[in-house]
Amino acid sequence: MMAKERIAICPGSFDPVTIGHLDIINRAAAMFDRVIVTVMTNTSKLCSFTAEERVGMLRKCIQGAENIEVDSYDGLLAEYAAKKGACAIIKGLRAMSDFEYEFQMALTNKKLNPEVETLFLTTSAQNMYLSSSMVKQIASMGGDISDFVPAEIHRDIINRIYIKK
Ligand code: PNS
């Protein structure tokens, strides 16, 4: 009998994807048969890129990776994970400041879908303070973001975010 494919979801706003996200996605892909990176709606964030644009940027960054795919979903994560037959939701955990919010989401998702486990991967030390909003703030003021975002989408970010004075 063939073993059941183990699918993990890496959900997020990805507005835009950073090298911190990609590190988590690649580490998840090394542990699971298939990883679905899903662009979702965080109702407490205003995005600078449309869901289609965020999917497009993610696809540019993960091209060539065999077991990673990119999707988007405008609904509940717990519902999406059930639909895809996923056994895990993977999130990166940075500083303590992430903890309470992530813990609350993990417990809520467990309540909504007891079949799915949320796993936290420790962010690599160099990405501990990296966030999409920090990247956007630096880009808007003309700062150098090349250490924080994949080269494939560097231009897309500058074109959208940089405010000429
Ligand atoms: O990158 P983010 O903004 O921290 O990701 C948060 C995200 C998009 C994963 C979260 O807001 C989410 O799961 N949104 C989908 C709607 C949902 O399921 N909300 C309830 C979560 S407890």
Side-chain angles (χ1 to χ4, degrees):
M1 202 177 82
M2 283 254 288
K4 192 169 174 274
E5 192 184 35
R6 302 193 77 77
I7 302 170
I9 312 284
C10 285
S13 308
F14 303 112
D15 187 58
V17 59
T18 68
I19 56 160
H21 293 127
L22 281 178
D23 175 51
I24 299 291
I25 293 166
N26 285 320
R27 284 160 62 197
M31 292 190 292
F32 286 85
D33 298 321
R34 213 172 121 206
V35 165
I36 309 175
V37 183
T38 313
V39 170
M40 305 201 82
T41 307
N42 181 340
T43 47
S44 51
K45 284 183 185 168
L46 268 179
C47 286
S48 302
F49 296 90
T50 66
E52 289 72 27
E53 287 169 334
R54 288 177 272 152
V55 166
M57 286 190 286
L58 273 159
R59 290 208 172 116
K60 276 193 205 176
C61 300
I62 58 110
Q63 54 186 320
E66 257 178 26
N67 64 338
I68 309 175
E69 61 197 77
V70 183
D71 192 14
S72 66
Y73 189 71
D74 194 11
L76 286 175
L77 173 55
E79 184 184 283
Y80 179 80
K83 235 158 101 158
K84 292 289 173 181
C87 61
I89 292 166
I90 311 281
K91 302 273 329 216
L93 205 56
R94 291 169 301 192
M96 281 307 285
S97 52
D98 279 349
F99 186 76
E100 194 149 337
Y101 165 67
E102 292 294 347
F103 204 78
Q104 188 183 18
M105 279 204 295
L107 290 178
T108 309
N109 285 326
K110 187 75 182 167
K111 176 88 183 139
L112 295 174
N113 181 351
E115 304 287 304
V116 178
E117 297 292 345
T118 296
L119 303 182
F120 294 112
L121 292 187
T122 315
T123 295
S124 301
Q126 69 272 22
N127 300 327
M128 203 66 181
Y129 296 101
L130 177 55
S131 68
S132 299
S133 52
M134 201 64 88
V135 164
K136 286 186 281 187
Q137 200 175 121
I138 298 167
S140 72
M141 295 172 185
D144 181 9
I145 55 166
S146 51
D147 281 346
F148 309 134
V149 298
E152 291 88 338
I153 62 164
H154 186 268
R155 221 347 86 198
D156 297 330
I157 300 171
I158 305 288
N159 287 349
R160 172 64 47 88
I161 306 289
Y162 177 54
I163 303 161
K164 280 201 190 79
K165 297 240 168 71

